[in-house]
Amino acid sequence: MHRCLPIALLSCVLLLVGCSESVELHRQLSEQEANEVIAELADKYIRAQKIQAKDGVMVRVRTNDISRAVRILEVAGLPKAARTSLGDVFRKEGVISTPLEERARYIYALSQELEATLSKIDGVIVARVHVVLPERVAPGEPVNRHPPPCSSSMPHSSTPITSDRACEEW
């Protein structure tokens, strides 16, 4: 009887350890991003654990919850994609930038700023912006007074909505 007790106890411990095994869901998150992920998972009854690491915060979930957790976070758009700011984009690292590099940086930064603004609207899960600007007019050339019309589209409930109101008069 006494010989079976340690074996039974060890079996129970191993069983409990196997059930509570956790896997890494995300790493290198900010504290706010980790809190958003944990809150979303908690709303769906999935326990998540936040662990501080050198490179940010790590979120872990139980092994048997990983597939559900990934799907839930994908639907919720979490964690949100990191965006670069205007200051990051326009940081000049070389001595001289070409006009093409300057224009590309400007358009990219403008797109990022618009995405960040749209993402802050309540109910927006993911925002993607592609800015297309007309070519600059060389000095001495006439300005095009009738540019092509602008448009925007926003899929909402899987029905695209277009709006010409997004463009301002030139």
Side-chain angles (χ1 to χ4, degrees):
M1 176 80 169
H2 292 286
R3 288 183 183 174
C4 294
L5 187 60
I7 293 173
L9 203 56
L10 182 63
S11 297
C12 289
V13 168
L14 290 175
L15 183 63
L16 289 174
V17 168
C19 292
S20 65
E21 220 175 275
S22 65
V23 293
E24 181 181 304
L25 180 62
H26 285 287
R27 70 173 29 224
Q28 296 180 331
L29 297 176
S30 69
E31 191 74 28
Q32 180 180 351
E33 290 169 327
N35 289 341
E36 289 172 355
V37 165
I38 289 174
E40 184 67 29
L41 293 174
D43 286 346
K44 306 297 189 272
Y45 305 104
I46 295 177
R47 286 186 82 171
Q49 183 182 16
K50 205 169 47 168
I51 300 170
Q52 281 289 25
K54 290 181 182 179
D55 56 352
V57 179
M58 180 182 2
V59 175
R60 296 181 68 89
V61 295
R62 288 192 331 227
T63 305
N64 54 349
D65 288 336
I66 187 72
S67 62
R68 232 176 95 225
V70 168
R71 285 193 306 269
I72 287 167
L73 293 178
E74 186 177 311
V75 168
L78 292 173
K80 297 190 189 285
R83 291 189 172 76
T84 53
S85 68
L86 281 169
D88 294 336
V89 173
F90 276 103
R91 186 176 10 181
K92 208 172 204 177
E93 294 177 1
V95 178
I96 299 175
S97 294
T98 67
L100 182 61
E101 289 173 325
E102 288 291 328
R103 181 172 170 78
R105 282 190 199 113
Y106 174 72
I107 290 174
Y108 178 74
L110 190 58
S111 298
Q112 291 290 297
E113 289 295 318
L114 289 171
E115 280 184 22
T117 300
L118 291 173
S119 295
K120 291 179 182 171
I121 296 173
D122 191 31
V124 173
I125 296 172
V126 176
R128 294 212 21 139
V129 175
H130 300 280
V131 174
V132 179
L133 296 176
E135 292 296 321
R136 290 189 201 160
V137 178
E141 288 186 25
V143 176
N144 184 2
R145 293 284 180 205
H146 304 288
C150 295
S151 67
S152 68
S153 98
M154 183 184 340
H156 180 267
S157 300
S158 70
T159 305
I161 300 171
T162 59
S163 170
D164 290 333
R165 294 181 307 228
C167 298
E168 295 183 17
E169 290 296 318
W170 290 70

